[in-house]
Amino acid sequence: MLAILFFSPILLFFVDFTGKLPVRLHGLEHIQFIPSILAGAYVIVAIWLALTFVFGRVYCSVICPAGILQDVINRIFCIGKKKKKGIRRFRYRLPSNVLRYVLAAVTFGTAVFGVTELCLLLDPYSNFGRIAANLFRPVVMEGNNLLADGLGKAGNYSLYHITITSVTAASLIAAGSALVVFTLLVIFRGRLFCNTLCPVGALLSVVSRYSIFRIVFDKKACIQCRSCEYVCKAEAIDPKKMKVDMSRCVDCFNCLSSCRKGALKYKPVPTVKKTAAAPVAATPPDSRRTFLATGVAVAASLPLALLKGQEARRKDAPFSLPVTPPGSLNLTRFKDKCTACHLCVTKCPSHVLRPAGMEYGFDYFLKPRMAYIDSYCNYECVICSEVCPTLAIRPLTVEDKKTTQTGIARFFIDRCIVHTEETDCGACSEHCPTQAVHMIPYKGTLTIPKVEDELCVGCGGCESICPVRPVRAILIEANEVHRLAEKPGEEEALDVNVDEFGF
């Protein structure tokens, strides 16, 4: 029930395309483990470590959406399965300690120096975010469209069609790869991702092995039926020795409900006897199989890094740097902090944020960029800065947003239809909220755009509306470090809703 209580609003927040859910629900994303570390919310990290020391890995079973998603997959796989004698879902295996702790050390170690690629690849929350944003959300939107068609035929037009614009080829492949990895690992090895690949699981396992509350055997009541072993998706119960590896136990309590003799209890055990650690050389008989399984899981995620050419650099963008969202401060910081959970992409009301492919390099892979293909950044919108769980996009006030210069419009006169076709246009000027783009005399009665760099905030209103195709006549060039634009005077600012304009 606790898992459902936390998982449902997180999932709904990602798939909501109506914008009706309150933005304050983003608090559930801000208490996730790796986002809390990257955001500097060390109090939250300390709370999770303390709760783990007392109760075990409750974070993995109740709070982590990727962990709960794996439990859902496990339940789905169990539907229709007859529990016949001799058929087992899981069995006890020795942990792959070397792999999980080395992987966790490298992940957190590189993150300290601002290299977050492994966090992006292995962070459970970010993987869930990409799955929800790029797979579940489009499914919900297509369901809305089908329902709208059905209601429309019946004369009911209360629903309307939604266009899916925020999913790119790179983000779709990344999300699909993550879901396939989760599904395969859950089917064959339960929570192997959580206990071998996940850096959060590895860190919490160091604390949970000394937890006060733990699952213990009543050796007098146990009849060695091994039912607890078969349902343990963490593969952490050794029925022969009557021990539970608390470093891998995720507190799902499946074993407690499976034991008909009540031989397993979850209770405080303040004094824990030290047991000799299993030597590294004493690997289980299927150690090669375990290594291959985890290796395949990592390899299955590598297509994310091999998408060169899948989403080539835009032909209409001669600039080599992406325009990062307002509040990201600068490109380097944004790359260091963002784990590409795509929450800002789903919450952007103008759909101007799009996940990048390899067009800006591997270190910007899947991170959101400002794409002015058919939309622009609303002059007074700060939602992305409010919801970012890692503070890669720092909170902005509306007033600060109005003077944050993420980029500068660049005008190419050789492409403009005023020059090439000698006809009136001015759409870019009409869509500029600061009048950084304004019209000046050109030939006869014709006027042509001119850009005042100091007034431009890089919102992209001009680029999104430019009628020139395929290469637009005005484009936004990114500021690697965001600057402060001049606030337009009262006589310069346009008090209009740019949505009213069209070309």
Side-chain angles (χ1 to χ4, degrees), residues 238-421:
D238 185 353
K240 293 181 180 179
K241 296 182 180 179
M242 296 188 182
K243 290 182 179 178
V244 179
D245 181 358
M246 290 304 296
S247 72
R248 288 184 288 163
C249 176
V250 293
D251 284 355
C252 69
F253 304 138
N254 287 351
C255 55
L256 300 185
S257 58
S258 71
C259 183
R260 298 179 180 179
K261 300 297 181 181
L264 288 167
K265 304 289 184 183
Y266 179 69
K267 62 181 183 179
V269 184
T271 304
V272 181
K273 294 181 180 180
K274 292 185 178 181
T275 57
V280 174
T283 53
D286 62 336
S287 59
R288 290 184 181 180
R289 198 174 302 165
T290 300
F291 177 78
L292 287 175
T294 53
V296 168
V298 175
S301 299
L302 290 183
L304 312 185
L306 301 177
L307 284 171
K308 283 188 177 181
Q310 182 67 35
E311 195 172 310
R313 179 174 290 126
R314 290 185 302 156
K315 293 181 180 179
D316 63 339
F319 311 123
S320 60
L321 299 179
V323 183
T324 58
S328 55
L329 303 185
N330 61 74
L331 178 61
T332 300
R333 179 186 177 277
F334 186 65
K335 290 193 292 187
D336 291 349
K337 291 281 188 180
C338 177
T339 60
C341 71
H342 294 176
L343 184 61
C344 59
V345 175
T346 64
K347 294 292 105 181
C348 178
S350 58
H351 310 294
V352 71
L353 290 176
R354 307 279 178 91
M358 290 294 293
E359 63 266 37
Y360 299 110
F362 180 65
D363 58 350
Y364 203 83
F365 182 58
L366 294 178
K367 300 183 193 313
R369 64 179 178 91
M370 307 278 272
Y372 310 111
I373 300 170
D374 50 21
S375 189
Y376 55 90
C377 183
N378 192 299
Y379 189 49
E380 297 186 343
C381 177
V382 292
I383 289 178
C384 62
S385 73
E386 294 176 345
V387 300
C388 180
T390 66
L391 295 187
I393 308 174
R394 294 191 64 86
L396 283 177
T397 64
V398 173
E399 288 303 311
D400 289 338
K401 165 70 183 297
K402 289 180 178 180
T403 55
T404 299
Q405 189 185 74
T406 60
I408 299 175
R410 299 302 182 198
F411 175 60
F412 300 88
I413 190 171
D414 291 340
R415 303 174 194 163
C416 183
I417 63 173
V418 176
H419 172 76
T420 59
E421 300 180 15

Side-chain angles (χ1 to χ4, degrees), residues 91-166:
R91 65 185 178 88
Y92 174 74
R93 303 170 194 262
L94 290 178
S96 303
N97 284 333
V98 173
L99 179 60
R100 67 168 166 169
Y101 291 127
V102 168
L103 198 56
V106 173
T107 301
F108 288 118
T110 53
V112 170
F113 296 98
V115 182
T116 57
E117 279 70 33
L118 276 176
C119 282
L120 182 148
L121 190 66
L122 299 176
D123 173 30
Y125 163 74
S126 298
N127 274 290
F128 171 81
R130 290 191 288 272
I131 291 171
N134 299 288
L135 294 178
F136 298 163
R137 190 168 185 263
V139 168
V140 172
M141 294 171 76
E142 283 298 334
N144 169 84
N145 292 343
L146 289 174
L147 190 57
D149 288 339
L151 291 175
K153 292 178 181 178
N156 185 334
Y157 300 99
S158 56
L159 296 181
Y160 53 89
H161 264 255
I162 302 295
T163 303
I164 302 172
T165 59
S166 60

Side-chain angles (χ1 to χ4, degrees), residues 316 372-374 411-412 415-421 423-431 437 439 449 460-475 502-503:
D316 63 339
Y372 310 111
I373 300 170
D374 50 21
F411 175 60
F412 300 88
R415 303 174 194 163
C416 183
I417 63 173
V418 176
H419 172 76
T420 59
E421 300 180 15
T423 183
D424 285 316
C425 183
C428 54
S429 174
E430 292 175 346
H431 274 69
V437 182
M439 307 303 289
C462 54
E463 179 178 337
S464 66
I465 200 62
C466 179
V468 181
R469 296 293 186 275
V471 183
R472 304 187 186 192
I474 191 163
L475 302 168
F503 191 86

Side-chain angles (χ1 to χ4, degrees), residues 33-34 37 57 100-101 103-108 118-124 127 193-206:
F33 203 90
I34 285 184
I37 293 177
R57 288 170 57 178
R100 67 168 166 169
Y101 291 127
L103 198 56
V106 173
T107 301
F108 288 118
L118 276 176
C119 282
L120 182 148
L121 190 66
L122 299 176
D123 173 30
N127 274 290
F193 176 87
C194 304
N195 285 323
T196 304
L197 299 178
C198 178
V200 178
L203 179 59
L204 294 180
S205 72
V206 176

